[in-house]
Amino acid sequence: MKTNKRLLFFTIILALIAIGLFLGDSQSGNYTSILLTIILATFASIYLYSYKDKFRFNIIVWIMMIIVAFLTQFAFLNNLHITASTLFLFMIYILSRFLFAFLLTLTAAVFIRDLNDFNYILVKPTKYTWLIILLVLGISLFYWVAFFPAAMTPDSLSQWRQAHTGEFDDGHPIIFTWLIMFLVKIWNSPGIIALFQILVVTSVYGYAFDFLLKRKVHPLFLGILTAIILVIPSFTIFSIIIWKDIIYSSFLLFFTVNLAKLHFSKGNWIKSRSGFLLLLLSAFGTAFFRHNGLPVFILTFVLLIILFRNKWKPLLSIFLIVFILERIIAGPVFHALNVKPSDPNEALSIPTQQIANIIVNDGDMTKDERAYFDKVFPIELWKEKYNPYNTNPIKFTWESYNREFIFKDTGLYFKNYISIVLKNPLLATEAFLKQSSLVWQVTTFKDGYTDTYVTNVYYGNDLGLKNEIISQKITNTSNKYLAIFKQPVFSFLWKPAFYHCIILLSGLFLAIRKGKKSLVIIVPWLLNTLSILAGLPAQDFRYLLASVFISIFLIAVPFIKPDEEEHSL
């Protein structure tokens, strides 16, 4: 009788998935995709039915599975037309997608839980670490030679100019500007910054793999991950672009590896001098190389001090060193150097887009509210300049966008903003989903896009900087190779949300195999992603490059050898 009920249960689940997907996706005419989805769901159901006695997970894991299933299916949602249907059809469609994602998530969870660690003891793991470092360094240097001396955008040029004039602007972290100033004393070329970035990225990759090798993760598994880094350009091509995001992303991976060392040693790793200094260095880089890194650092360390209460002294020492240093630099040092403050309007990207979408679609608002937003930015310009995925056309219309008026009374701004959002929840939600799509969406909306990377110095710049051809053959080969990964079939590789799905699944597997406390390892990634979500100005892949770097590490962490003293590594 129980068997018949269980069979009926899975049959109903499959029926709901089939009906819901057909109602939601049939308008696109992609029946092949619907059929494949149903086939996958059927195989997952058969697998789960066969292992019906193995659904023993704690409540935290079940909650995580629900969250992971919802977010991963949401990442592949790109047909907002379904919202125009009846509420009943919309709910059936969303339910079917969730059930499909949950079936796959539960199947993966059961499989991973019962999978062996396949631990393998290497006699000389350092030898393999150096091999990985040399391979990553080789492919990175190949790109460097191909696009010598570096790739630069207006943001890059801005910091290059500041480094040479000494006229500082906090629009970009001053630490990175100072780094450029120091490096160009050695060689006054963008090439040295790109080379430095290559060395940093490669070193951090090596540091991460060294930890995994010494924790007995099978070298064959790590060989596959190394091959992924070498083959997929998103892991290496950014090293040649002079952006603060490259160094910051490297430090966030560095920070994440150190949290893994801290966790798996039960805090003992930080008792060593090297552990203390390495955590201090990674915390410093996280806090200083991008503005959103400071809250990531602060909140992570608050959590660490709570979780590792018996090691609170070294943790609090690191926190105070970095925090006080940041306050000194942001205060007296900025004042002495006459550093121009950053534009506070950068924090208003999401509200700007929601206001614009409501105005463009003639949403509900009072005459006073309309008059207020007309003073912020003329109504006709709201409609003309609105880009659902980029706030720059609005905020960079300097002569018309009235920043001073906004910040003269921010309370009034948010009062009017909240009022029109509450009156127009669907328009506000639509604007938020499109503006934040870089964070959560793998399959983009029809009008969506992602800015990925550049390989040239910004054309027509007034600094006289340009690319030089060292080897035409290497340049041509690199361009042809990169073009392969620009094909539509590989578009998912240029969506940060794809790597977010990997990290979410890895976090789930980590909780299943190593316990819920191990989730502290993904906290820096989570905080970084949420901070970007809150203030995303445009669809630039680099904003979430850290997710790419961290994903390749977290894939392997659930399979490390447990219960080993980390301070000896």
Side-chain angles (χ1 to χ4, degrees), residues 293-327:
L294 182 61
V296 172
F297 154 74
I298 291 174
L299 293 176
T300 301
F301 260 81
V302 169
L303 180 61
L304 290 179
I305 292 170
I306 294 172
L307 292 177
F308 297 94
R309 292 182 292 276
N310 58 334
K311 306 294 187 301
W312 68 270
K313 287 184 179 179
L315 289 171
L316 182 60
S317 297
I318 292 174
F319 176 81
L320 290 176
I321 290 170
V322 176
F323 184 77
I324 292 172
L325 185 59
E326 191 279 335
R327 288 292 83 199

Side-chain angles (χ1 to χ4, degrees), residues 47-48 57 105-116 513:
Y47 180 85
L48 294 174
F57 297 106
T105 303
L106 181 58
T107 301
V110 172
F111 178 77
I112 291 294
R113 182 192 59 189
D114 298 333
L115 193 65
N116 292 327
R513 295 176 67 87

